[in-house]
Amino acid sequence: MPFTSSWHSLLDRVEDLPSDATLVTPLSRRPFRITDVQEQRVLIEYRDDSGMIPLQREQFETLYERVRDTHSEFDLDRLPADAEPYATVLSLHPRFEVDDREGALTEADAPTDTQLVDIRLESESDEETREEPDIDVYADALLLIDALERYDPRDLAGRGTPALVNLYTLLSDVQRNADDLRQAVRSVLLDRLHHDQPIYGQYGSVQRTIRRNRSLKGDEEVLETLEAAGIERERVLSVDRNKVDDALDVTDLSESDVYDIEESEYVRKAEVDEEVKESRLQGLKGRLAAVDGEDTDELQQEIEELERRIEELTSFESGRTFHTPSSSESG
């Protein structure tokens, strides 16, 4: 198929994109938008840069020919960094696609849809079709946002103990569940990072990195290797903490005889009342759903009354405030 025909097919697909469609480069995942389509070029603008960049027709043709010359599979690592948008835009053509897993631009046997364009980003209609994700971190984050609105975190010292307990509990839950989700997202991202170039999103960028974990080989192997290199055993032998603890169990020695002990106090979340959290969450969802309703004021009063009753049931009484004795008192 001559490139002229493919070029016009590509321009047709580009012109069909919504005006707010966001595309991303295949390797660095840098977002950009198409600002204009002309007969001999496509103009783009990166989201993190206000400069206009022209993508020329002859460069598209060169990339088109290279894909064909490599038996319909062109390695994206061969692209110069500033040429990544060409691969993204070319993947809009019904016969071309980017294979994230293989890191290649390929010519397909059947029409395909590119995965490098998000036509819903910042779209007004997107707000109407949003669905609540059924994950723990979403519910906990919603509760935390509500708590932060009610308890000013800029004046923690002026907050009552129940308010601080609520904030600490929710912060702890959000941290745990967010980290679980972060690790799940990371495992998927690793399959999409092909080299050390950063990939960009709307809120930041990520980059593949390597963490080195070391563990010693067997004791005798290590000692013999070091001895062969002229290092005496005594220079690397040290006290084994586990063996010391085992020795304490069978002697009359105390911990302070062999350990320097320094104690510090901290707050630990003891338990979470999931029923109260769920009740509060349902109230928040009702509030969000009724923002544009006719009975918003009446419903708001009902929610506030429910919140007051829940807080009364779950708050600590002043007489139950815990007190840790100081060293002078305990002595």
Side-chain angles (χ1 to χ4, degrees), residues 132-200:
E132 174 190 327
D134 186 19
I135 53 176
D136 292 337
V137 68
Y138 175 84
D140 288 332
L142 187 59
L143 289 168
L144 177 59
I145 290 171
D146 172 66
L148 290 173
E149 290 175 348
R150 291 188 294 128
Y151 313 132
D152 186 355
R154 295 168 298 182
D155 182 27
L156 294 178
R159 302 269 68 83
T161 300
L164 294 177
V165 171
N166 288 342
L167 282 174
Y168 191 88
T169 301
L170 291 172
L171 287 166
S172 178
D173 287 346
V174 168
Q175 180 186 36
R176 182 188 69 250
N177 293 322
D179 192 59
D180 290 343
L181 182 58
R182 181 182 65 87
Q183 294 184 41
V185 171
R186 180 181 62 188
S187 66
V188 176
L189 273 176
L190 281 173
D191 291 335
R192 303 183 182 181
L193 299 177
H194 306 295
H195 45 67
D196 291 336
Q197 286 189 358
I199 61 174
Y200 294 83

Side-chain angles (χ1 to χ4, degrees), residues 46-326:
Y46 284 109
R47 291 179 61 85
D48 56 0
D49 190 347
S50 59
M52 204 76 67
I53 300 174
L55 304 182
Q56 303 293 347
R57 179 188 189 278
E58 57 266 25
Q59 297 298 327
F60 279 106
E61 184 171 6
T62 298
L63 181 57
Y64 172 89
E65 294 297 340
R66 287 189 178 181
V67 174
R68 294 206 147 191
D69 291 343
T70 54
H71 305 289
S72 301
E73 187 171 309
F74 178 78
D75 188 351
L76 291 171
D77 282 332
R78 296 171 56 190
L79 281 174
D82 58 357
E84 282 192 55
Y86 283 93
T88 298
V89 176
L90 186 56
S91 72
L92 294 171
H93 189 284
R95 292 288 182 177
F96 288 86
E97 65 177 339
V98 168
D99 187 331
D100 277 329
R101 189 170 297 276
E102 297 297 330
L105 176 65
T106 63
E107 185 175 11
D109 296 329
T112 63
D113 291 325
T114 181
Q115 301 300 312
L116 299 177
V117 57
D118 184 358
I119 64 175
R120 297 175 302 166
L121 188 62
E122 297 185 2
S123 170
E124 294 181 1
S125 61
D126 187 45
E127 296 297 324
E128 300 174 1
T129 59
R130 290 178 60 181
E131 295 183 1
E132 174 190 327
D134 186 19
I135 53 176
D136 292 337
V137 68
Y138 175 84
D140 288 332
L142 187 59
L143 289 168
L144 177 59
I145 290 171
D146 172 66
L148 290 173
E149 290 175 348
R150 291 188 294 128
Y151 313 132
D152 186 355
R154 295 168 298 182
D155 182 27
L156 294 178
R159 302 269 68 83
T161 300
L164 294 177
V165 171
N166 288 342
L167 282 174
Y168 191 88
T169 301
L170 291 172
L171 287 166
S172 178
D173 287 346
V174 168
Q175 180 186 36
R176 182 188 69 250
N177 293 322
D179 192 59
D180 290 343
L181 182 58
R182 181 182 65 87
Q183 294 184 41
V185 171
R186 180 181 62 188
S187 66
V188 176
L189 273 176
L190 281 173
D191 291 335
R192 303 183 182 181
L193 299 177
H194 306 295
H195 45 67
D196 291 336
Q197 286 189 358
I199 61 174
Y200 294 83
Q202 183 180 5
Y203 302 113
S205 63
V206 296
Q207 187 171 4
R208 178 188 288 271
T209 187
I210 298 175
R211 180 184 294 122
R212 297 179 68 243
N213 294 318
R214 301 190 308 166
S215 59
L216 281 172
K217 298 180 179 180
D219 291 352
E220 282 303 316
E221 182 179 356
V222 172
L223 292 173
E224 290 174 2
T225 300
L226 292 176
E227 280 185 324
I231 304 297
E232 298 179 356
R233 291 186 173 219
E234 289 75 11
R235 292 185 58 184
V236 295
L237 291 176
S238 61
V239 176
D240 187 310
R241 180 169 178 167
N242 292 329
K243 293 180 179 179
V244 170
D245 288 340
D246 291 340
L248 288 177
D249 291 338
V250 296
T251 66
D252 294 332
L253 295 174
S254 66
E255 281 187 312
S256 60
D257 291 328
V258 292
Y259 283 105
D260 289 326
I261 301 175
E262 181 179 351
E263 294 184 346
S264 60
E265 296 181 345
Y266 68 98
V267 175
R268 179 177 63 88
K269 184 180 66 176
E271 62 180 354
V272 178
D273 194 325
E274 297 294 346
E275 292 185 2
V276 172
K277 285 176 59 177
E278 181 62 24
S279 175
R280 176 71 179 176
L281 183 61
Q282 293 304 318
L284 291 173
K285 290 177 181 177
R287 179 193 300 175
L288 291 173
V291 168
D292 297 324
E294 297 179 358
D295 300 325
T296 303
D297 292 340
E298 182 178 351
L299 180 58
Q300 178 67 27
Q301 293 177 2
E302 294 178 0
I303 291 174
E304 291 177 354
E305 175 62 21
L306 175 61
E307 291 171 354
R308 185 187 63 77
R309 293 172 58 191
I310 291 175
E311 191 161 345
E312 288 178 353
L313 292 172
T314 58
S315 296
F316 290 110
E317 297 176 2
S318 59
R320 295 175 58 196
T321 302
F322 291 95
H323 175 65
T324 302
S326 64

